[in-house]
Amino acid sequence: MEKNRTATEFLHIGNRLLDWYKNNARDLPFRQTKDPYKIWICEIVFQQTRINQGLNHYNNFIKRFPDIKTLAEAGENEVLLYWKGLGYYSRAINIHKAAKQIMNDHQGVFPSLYEDILKLKGVGKYTAAAVSSICFGGRLPAVDGNFYRVLSRFFADDFDVSNSRAFTYFSELATLVMPENVGDFNQAMMDLGSEICKPKNPLCEECPISGECLAFSLQKTSDYPVKTKKTKAENLSLIYYFIHREGQFLIHQRPDDFIWKKLFEFPSSLPSEMERFVTGSKIINHKLTHKNLTIEIVNVEVSSEKVWNDFIIENQYLITDVEGSHEKSFPKPLENYIQNSLKD
């Protein structure tokens, strides 16, 4: 796009978006509050989760942890349990750490400055800008995928959104259309990108700014945004041993590294003396954002009480059953396996 354009040329676009948002804003529970804690939680929940998929999870999480103090004082496993079903569990670990950070560094009061919000564990520039603008009148665009898509189409701008400078570039572009009320503008852009300016099959006829959208006028909306860099998914193989006896099975908690941080899992090794109890195995394919997992789960039905007890004591595994597993957080493929494994 031409670099000599000024904000005055496009300010009416931002105001038009505000008018559209006033009449078309999605009726969401976190839209009825300016509580920075709740806005922060909703931004983290919906980073990797669609609104319709995550809304019940958000409501349940807020009901159990209604404020920073409650969240900070909760045990990590309980926080993970209430995050169950949302995936990307490192988000839950980070908000728990951030809540403690707020209690320690800000006397339990959510910080109001963008720079201080950005220092919270797990908070990036987008989330800090969103909370700052919605709750405290901050004047920074909350640039995310919606901004990239709307702005690149509106200006028919071919700047590569996978470029390391994309956030800065589109933040500057956003200021050209950004009105006085930045909080509502950021939310308007979120709703526009989610409901109208969709990645595929955008509803241009319903868009309040399509009349001046260059990509629409050129009939090239599918060409934007431009993204050339693709992250190749890594292939990863895992093996687990589902070691069980009389309706109970063995688990332990993952460390705070690699995938599925702090979730519970089955043992990943089996001593040679227990190989005689193997009755079969199952292969499960599972996709993560940047990993293609091939998971082999070996079924080990232990008939010897002594071998069972000795193995548990030696390795300090936890014992649970299907009902007890509901109180812990497992990776989705293991959770599904549990629910189908011990059916009579």
Side-chain angles (χ1 to χ4, degrees):
M1 65 167 286
E2 297 176 19
K3 304 303 179 186
N4 60 351
R5 290 176 171 172
T6 63
T8 54
E9 288 183 68
F10 301 103
L11 185 58
H12 65 286
I13 296 298
N15 288 324
R16 193 179 300 164
L17 282 174
L18 289 184
D19 291 338
W20 173 83
Y21 177 72
K22 190 181 300 181
N23 297 315
N24 296 276
R26 288 176 290 181
D27 184 16
L28 302 170
F30 44 83
R31 290 268 170 87
Q32 316 304 321
T33 181
K34 295 293 184 182
D35 181 347
Y37 169 73
K38 292 178 180 176
I39 299 299
W40 167 51
I41 296 298
C42 94
E43 291 297 341
I44 301 299
V45 166
F46 297 117
Q47 274 179 7
Q48 305 284 353
T49 308
R50 293 182 182 277
I51 294 285
N52 59 348
Q53 294 173 328
L55 201 51
N56 285 337
H57 289 91
Y58 166 81
N59 289 331
N60 291 334
F61 193 91
I62 290 296
K63 184 177 180 180
R64 172 59 188 90
F65 310 110
D67 51 44
I68 295 166
K69 185 173 185 293
T70 306
L71 178 58
E73 292 177 349
E76 184 177 69
N77 285 338
E78 186 179 15
V79 175
L80 287 170
L81 181 62
Y82 275 83
W83 201 264
K84 196 171 184 177
L86 285 170
Y88 301 92
Y89 285 87
S90 60
R91 294 182 293 169
I93 294 172
N94 285 338
I95 64 172
H96 189 222
K97 291 179 179 178
K100 293 181 177 181
Q101 195 178 341
I102 295 170
M103 294 301 297
N104 293 331
D105 298 347
H106 301 279
Q107 295 72 51
V109 178
F110 201 98
S112 60
L113 297 178
Y114 168 83
E115 293 78 9
D116 291 334
I117 300 173
L118 191 58
K119 292 176 183 176
L120 298 177
K121 184 70 175 178
V123 172
K125 293 178 180 179
Y126 159 76
T127 301
V131 176
S132 171
S133 64
I134 294 170
C135 303
F136 303 109
R139 291 196 51 76
L140 286 170
V143 174
D144 66 350
N146 292 312
F147 270 74
Y148 291 160
R149 191 162 57 254
V150 172
L151 292 173
S152 64
R153 285 174 174 170
F154 182 81
F155 290 108
D157 194 302
D158 60 359
F159 192 93
D160 188 347
V161 299
S162 66
N163 188 296
S164 60
R165 290 188 56 251
F167 184 89
T168 300
Y169 181 88
F170 283 95
S171 292
E172 294 173 355
L173 206 57
T175 61
L176 294 178
V177 299
M178 196 168 69
E180 187 66 26
N181 187 341
V182 179
D184 281 357
F185 168 73
N186 282 334
Q187 294 183 89
M189 289 287 280
M190 295 173 199
D191 281 9
L192 187 73
S194 176
E195 302 297 306
I196 304 295
C197 196
K198 300 178 180 182
K200 295 181 180 179
N201 304 315
L203 308 178
C204 297
E205 301 300 333
E206 299 178 27
C207 178
I209 59 174
S210 62
E212 296 181 59
C213 175
L214 283 180
F216 177 65
S217 67
L218 295 170
Q219 298 184 356
K220 290 185 176 182
T221 54
S222 60
D223 292 347
Y224 302 95
V226 172
K227 184 176 183 179
T228 58
K229 181 181 178 182
K230 293 185 178 179
T231 302
K232 185 178 180 181
E234 174 190 359
N235 294 321
L236 183 64
S237 296
L238 301 174
I239 186 167
Y240 286 113
Y241 295 90
F242 185 69
I243 304 172
H244 62 99
R245 172 180 166 79
E246 297 180 351
Q248 297 181 316
F249 56 93
L250 306 183
I251 60 172
H252 69 113
Q253 193 168 23
R254 289 184 64 85
D256 189 9
D257 60 6
F258 202 45
I259 61 173
W260 295 330
K261 299 177 182 180
K262 294 298 185 76
L263 299 194
F264 287 85
E265 64 179 358
F266 310 146
S268 56
S269 62
L270 189 75
S272 57
E273 61 267 24
M274 292 187 71
E275 291 179 358
R276 58 193 168 107
F277 299 118
V278 172
T279 62
S281 66
K282 181 177 182 179
I283 300 294
I284 298 172
N285 295 313
H286 186 73
K287 289 184 180 294
L288 299 177
T289 305
H290 298 303
K291 290 180 173 60
N292 297 321
L293 303 183
T294 301
I295 305 168
E296 181 181 8
I297 302 181
V298 179
N299 189 68
V300 184
E301 186 172 359
V302 182
S303 56
S304 168
E305 183 177 3
K306 183 180 186 305
V307 172
W308 170 264
N309 290 332
D310 289 347
F311 184 67
I312 293 170
I313 294 171
E314 182 179 348
N315 295 278
Q316 297 184 323
Y317 287 121
L318 300 175
I319 307 171
T320 190
D321 53 21
V322 173
E323 185 176 352
S325 71
H326 297 157
E327 301 302 315
K328 300 187 185 304
S329 296
F330 290 84
K332 192 63 176 176
L334 300 194
E335 183 179 343
N336 291 340
Y337 185 89
I338 290 169
Q339 301 314 309
N340 295 314
S341 62
L342 298 177
K343 291 180 179 178
D344 32 43

